[in-house]
Amino acid sequence: MKNFLIHRKIYYLLNFFILVNFFTSKVTAQTDSEYNKNLNSSLNAFIEVNAGNRIGKINPDIYGLFMEMCFNEFNGGIWAEMLKSRKFAGNDGEDEYYGVVKPWYPIGKNSKTVFRHDNSIFYCGRQSQKIISDNEGEHRCGIGQSGLYIKNSKNYDVRLNIRQEGIQGKIRIALEGKEDIYGVQVLEAEPDIWQRFELSLNSIASDRDASITITFQGSGKLWVGSVSMMPSENMSGFRKDIVLALKEMKPPNIRWPGGNMVSEYDWEDGIGDRDLRPPRFIRGLWEPNDVGIDEFMTLCRLIGTKPYIAVNSGDGSPHDAANLVEYCNGKSNTSYGRKRADNGHSQPYNIRLWGIGNEMYGNWQNGHVDEETYARRHLSFARAMRSVDKDIKLVAVGGRPWKYPDWNKTMCNISAGHFDYVSLHSYAKKYRRHMKKDDLKDPDFAREFYYYIVSAPHGIEEQITKTFHELQKSLSPGNDVKIAFDEWNCWAYMAPHELVDFSLRDGLYTAGVLHAFRRQNKAVTLGNFSKVVNALSMIRVNGPDLFFNPQYLVFKMYINHSGPHLIKSTVNCDDYPAPEYEKGRTQAIGDIPFIDVSATMSEDEESLYVAVINRHISKSVDAVIQLKDWLPRHQAKRISLACDDYMTENTFEFPERIKIEEEELKNVRFSRDIIIPKHSVTIFEFYKGPEKI
Ligand code: AHR
């Protein structure tokens, strides 16, 4: 006790000195020479965490994710399919590839071989690949797809639907390199019927540019309706490495299938026999519909998370949405519940969280209408969906008050009582349409952009408070509508298929948004980071290679090292003026502290987590952390994300330049003087101690 009092006195004294220091060293925007001069100096901060003062309950759903069925999030992402255009939708190649659906290529092309996409005889959608050979003897022809990254001794599951006429010999399926054959299987097909074959190919070599080939010798006709190839280690069709990474992260929920995509999505395209599902052209790419609601539910089960399903209110109808609710939640004696059971899922999924539509205020959205029409549309969707299951929770499309000033009010006036959440989205994107990644090579611009991004969470917080205030004004008392912040990320520049690269800077942004959600826990009870694999992602993949962006690492730290109770914390440190968002408009009001602290406690009150973001671009912080009303164990843990340069990125070549570091701390007392590195995120995990201090 005596020790404790001495410590307290010292630190209150220190606090006083630090405070004095603050008044004399208020930091504003730095010039280049100031920046260089200050590079290695440090700041001071005094952090007080009052463990006895719980100031809010954080809904774990704020740590949710958003996955969109477009670009390469599922195909070429978490779905283990290795082949492109596996259902032969789309156009032919040019010149000597004419007649062969891209990106497949012809094999054995000569004057006696014809390649055509066939729109009369097909297996799914409205097209198949046909090969007609008039050759004799051993001439081999067929199709192949290159660019497959295969590994030595690995097994690959191949499934194909083919039809033949007049082929005498066997049809060969092979994994090939430029010179060698790595694995091969042959099959005999009956004439004139579609037949499905499932086989396994084992590769005797690794090759980043292998091909799968489907060929036959001599004369005859072959139609290839669909082909699939996956590493045999897949988990129900999903990539094992990504599933395990998400399982470790423990996201509480995932929003699916879109996004803009949902406004043109027919959920019935995604059920039933996977090879028969129609491919559709969505957002510039052919979507084979291999992942539908049943596969998504399998993914949720594999990860251990819950689904949050969005329905199409763009060109979809209330009736379609109600059918989807029945497919998911209806007993197997209902019409759609029976379909689900017939598809192998006898038990209802009982999905609770449903979103109606996406960004319907936006002129980029399929089916975008004015707010009044939309509010009525929402009403008819909500009624239809709740007539199937009255217990579902509904998220309505909300709008940023300053951009769409009448949107939320109109939603409340017309359809109050028919939604439980209002959604908000935000992408930190100061110059997105004009910016290129190379612009960041200019150090002045990179610094300006750094502060813009790491400050953006304060803009989000403002968006939340303004919207919540507006909702409370527009809704009658007792109407407990919350905010679902169901898309957020930074999005610096435009990139094909949204393949944006991220750096440590973006990890600080991510932690900042999570702090903002926690602070606004009364308003925000659902959040969904956008997105997970490849597009704007936490996880990037290229063939079997994978790396984690800082956003993934921050989520993993925050979900695994936090509790549901928000604890009062105060920070004394320097701040800086909120950067400009658009010309003449700051993105948040007032000054932003360099140090942002968020303290939480576990349900059993055994662990206290103090998360600290140091936003300063070049200075570490000499911080005093003082714990009040808490007897800590002598050991604690420090979990951190830091590196020398805020522009550091993980890449396929260097996947671990940024990684989570864990360190045991010893001799922990009520107060602690500790260095928080420049531009870093740190969580201190303290445990309640039985020991006497
Ligand atoms: O790809 C990200 C898109 O951004 C989402 O589909 C949409 O909801 C938002 O406009």
Side-chain angles (χ1 to χ4, degrees), residues 149-156 202-207 544-545:
Y149 185 167
I150 57 170
K151 293 220 167 160
N152 190 11
S153 329
K154 285 252 177 201
N155 277 321
Y156 297 90
N202 183 274
S203 177
I204 54 160
S206 292
D207 189 338
D545 294 343

Side-chain angles (χ1 to χ4, degrees), residues 66 68 70-71 255 258-261 283 358-359 364-365 425 427 432 487 491 498 530-531 535-536:
F66 164 53
E68 189 162 22
C70 58
F71 305 135
R255 175 177 179 246
N260 295 335
M261 181 272 179
R283 304 200 74 196
N358 178 69
E359 297 179 356
W364 57 90
Q365 201 68 218
H425 293 176
Y427 290 97
R432 195 170 85 199
E487 273 185 49
W491 190 343
E498 297 177 353
S530 166
K531 305 177 198 181
L536 288 176

Side-chain angles (χ1 to χ4, degrees), residues 327-578:
Y327 184 88
C328 295
N329 294 359
K331 297 213 175 89
S332 42
N333 60 1
T334 59
S335 143
Y336 272 87
R338 192 170 323 116
K339 285 195 189 197
R340 184 199 62 240
D342 291 346
N343 288 334
H345 310 278
S346 55
Q347 290 310 310
Y349 293 135
N350 282 323
I351 298 174
R352 292 295 110 216
L353 272 174
W354 294 83
I356 300 179
N358 178 69
E359 297 179 356
M360 295 307 301
Y361 45 77
N363 58 3
W364 57 90
Q365 201 68 218
N366 192 29
H368 148 71
V369 285
D370 67 276
E371 54 267 54
E372 234 182 276
T373 313
Y374 190 70
R376 282 197 296 273
R377 192 186 287 178
H378 174 94
L379 197 58
S380 39
F381 269 78
R383 284 186 171 138
M385 292 166 76
R386 280 194 167 145
S387 74
V388 178
D389 183 342
K390 62 177 180 15
D391 295 327
I392 56 179
K393 297 277 176 214
L394 293 177
V395 181
V397 171
R400 259 157 285 165
W402 56 89
K403 198 133 191 226
Y404 309 101
D406 300 321
W407 187 271
N408 298 337
K409 283 183 230 149
T410 312
M411 285 299 289
C412 293
N413 290 344
I414 296 180
S415 53
H418 297 270
F419 52 86
D420 305 282
Y421 303 82
V422 155
S423 74
L424 285 179
H425 293 176
S426 171
Y427 290 97
K429 55 165 200 282
K430 187 167 185 179
Y431 303 110
R432 195 170 85 199
R433 303 253 163 223
H434 314 286
M435 186 174 154
K436 297 193 183 44
K437 190 179 173 196
D438 273 359
D439 296 344
L440 291 166
K441 288 186 178 151
D442 169 357
D444 288 331
F445 178 70
R447 275 200 302 281
E448 181 200 326
F449 193 68
Y450 167 89
Y451 274 115
Y452 166 76
I453 291 290
V454 301
S455 312
H458 281 253
I460 286 192
E461 200 158 351
E462 209 188 314
Q463 189 176 343
I464 295 167
T465 49
K466 282 204 170 122
T467 309
F468 199 53
H469 179 68
E470 190 184 68
L471 289 175
Q472 286 178 322
K473 261 188 15 205
S474 311
L475 292 165
S476 45
N479 221 324
D480 192 25
V481 171
K482 302 290 189 198
I483 289 173
F485 218 107
D486 56 12
E487 273 185 49
W488 61 275
N489 196 354
C490 30
W491 190 343
Y493 53 91
M494 296 304 276
H497 298 164
E498 297 177 353
L499 279 178
V500 177
D501 298 331
F502 295 105
S503 69
L504 179 66
R505 173 197 63 221
D506 307 310
L508 269 73
Y509 158 86
T510 306
V513 176
L514 296 178
H515 287 203
F517 286 176
R518 288 173 173 185
R519 274 192 291 270
Q520 299 307 323
N521 59 77
K522 289 189 181 49
V524 182
T525 53
L526 176 61
N528 301 85
F529 178 85
S530 166
K531 305 177 198 181
V532 182
V533 187
N534 287 332
L536 288 176
S537 66
M538 298 184 145
I539 304 172
R540 280 283 285 274
V541 302
N542 177 20
D545 294 343
L546 162 154
F547 72 83
F548 299 112
N549 275 321
Q551 293 99 318
Y552 169 87
L553 303 171
V554 166
F555 260 77
K556 193 169 166 192
M557 286 168 69
Y558 273 68
I559 296 178
N560 288 286
H561 302 281
S562 67
H565 300 289
L566 186 68
I567 298 300
K568 171 101 178 139
S569 59
T570 47
V571 188
N572 283 313
C573 68
D574 281 352
D575 46 29
Y576 60 98

